[in-house]
Amino acid sequence: MGEQSMKILIAGCGIGGLAAALSLYEAGFRDLSLVEAAPAVRPYGAGVNLQPNAVRELAALGLYEEIAARSATIGRLGYHNHLGQTVWHERRGLAAGHRHPQLAVHRGELLTVLAEAVTRRLGPGAIRTDAKVTGFERAGEGRLRVRLAHRRGGTAKEGVTGSTTGAGLLIGADGIRSAVRATLYPREGAPPASGTVVWRGITRVRPFLGGDSMVVMGDGRWKVVVYPLAGTPGTDGLVPVNWAASRAAAPGEPVDGATRPVPRSAFAPHFDTWALGDLRLREVLAGPDPVVQFPLIDRDPLPRWSFGRVTLLGDSAHAMAPMGSNATTQAIVDARALAHALARDPDAGRDPERALLAYDRERRPAMNRLALMSRAKGPEAVIDLACERAPDGFGRIGEVIDRSELVALTRSYARAGHFDARAANLPSPYSTRASAPAPAAAPAPGVVPA
Ligand SMILES: Cc1cc2nc3c(=O)[nH]c(=O)nc-3n(C[C@H](O)[C@H](O)[C@H](O)COP(=O)(O)OP(=O)(O)OC[C@H]3O[C@@H](n4cnc5c(N)ncnc54)[C@H](O)[C@@H]3O)c2cc1C
């Protein structure tokens, strides 16, 4: 398709919003702008995983090499009890026959690569920071009036002021506390608390378990997830390792829903004796105080994402509990699916409603299913099952959980997220390539261009 003139406004410059901008640009849309509530697109956060279907889509956007150079390739995933016994183990990405790898990357590094690509391709004025979407209304003649709040003079001290901007399409990529979602669903309220609190960080340690392993260990209430963020150690022989520890409240225990700094002693001692091969949790969880504790939250599935000229994407549409390492993956796939739906509808540049409904129909049922599976702990449920049936450990896992049950719990999740090899090895279903494509990166070994 050729160039499209509809003015598109994207609320939020997280991974989802930036991926949407790049995908829409590739599809021929040129009047694109992004607004970000934060004063800058800053590289916040810790590690995120990109499943092979998201890596395929990033390769289609010409960003594979840049991202892979900043990532660790994950080749193995293990679920273990607190004694280090293996409940489930599988190969991942290229090692499992995928055409694209599973990558683990610092969220900030990924954000930086995407934001730089947006600035390069769309121009330096495409992203406006310090501008928060607060709502929108229909303005007639197929346009929306989007309300913004921004800090006068760029400092909080000088107070918040308001303005509006027009748009022919508004994409709410504004995260789990989305203002666009709240406008569409004004009675929904805050995300429901799960009763689990999470601490997360990055520590430099010696590479463990071959250097490409993601490890999840749990005892039924406490859990820790560990994976590397670099494939090769630095000159100090260490690699950055992402960790997330969590604790589920006991039945009837009051839930601590606050995000606040706590001393490491609030959680780290519980893991002091946990180990797996050459991985020592005591070393991984060591470091300075404080550590931010935050509640694990998600969102209830929605009956609809697209309303007229407005739609939702990523966490604003389907924030899910981080159980299968695929929130970022699904935000990227949403972005690609949305751009594709708009590109293939010849009327979308004038009236995007039909295309937005097609995107909603394609992505929402699968994401709602995945969000509910994640709330039920997704594939990590196998650890709780093992701990429940054998709290003091087991001889052979087959005596505790039947292999067919393990396979069902782990494989069904990958299938629901479309990152099982059968689905993820297909060529990208979302290629639009309208415009002169961005300079394509040479495919890396094992990676087939989408
Ligand atoms: C600061 C931060 C740190 C994170 N760290 C991690 C991590 O370490 N590990 C992990 O697995 N996941 C992390 N996440 C979540 C993860 O990034 C998402 O689950 C996933 O990438 C999907 O992203 P998204 O773009 O849909 O939403 P998000 O990543 O939440 O991005 C939403 C963006 O919208 C902006 N925004 C919010 N409200 C408005 C508004 N009203 N108007 C304009 N802009 C708005 C936010 O500032 C943010 O930049 C983090 C999210 C954030 C915001």
Side-chain angles (χ1 to χ4, degrees), residues 51 77 79 92 194 196 198 214 216 223 225 246 248 296 298 320-327 370-381 384 413 419:
Q51 300 300 337
L77 168 66
Y79 296 132
R92 301 288 284 195
S194 66
T196 294
V198 182
M214 176 166 181
V216 187
K223 196 178 75 179
V225 181
S246 59
L296 189 153
D298 66 0
M320 42 186 111
M323 295 298 166
S325 315
N326 75 146
L370 201 60
L372 291 177
M373 289 172 94
S374 301
R375 194 175 273 181
K377 301 197 176 169
E380 294 176 15
D384 288 4
Y413 191 83
F419 54 86

Side-chain angles (χ1 to χ4, degrees), residues 10-19 34-50 105-108 110-111 128 130-135 147-149 172-180 200-202 227 242 244 294 313-320 322 325-332 334:
I10 300 172
C13 288
I15 310 295
L18 293 167
L34 299 97
V35 290
E36 166 57 47
V41 181
R42 289 210 191 110
Y44 287 125
V48 295
N49 270 269
L50 297 170
V105 57
H106 191 290
R107 178 183 180 272
L110 179 59
L111 203 69
R128 179 173 170 194
D130 226 340
K132 181 178 184 169
V133 169
T134 56
R147 289 192 299 277
L148 300 173
D174 49 345
I176 191 164
R177 292 187 173 79
S178 165
V180 178
R200 140 184 111 193
I202 296 173
Y227 54 85
N242 184 83
F294 54 92
L313 172 156
D315 278 7
S316 76
H318 51 69
M320 42 186 111
S325 315
N326 75 146
T328 300
T329 290
Q330 301 304 344
I332 292 165
D334 284 351

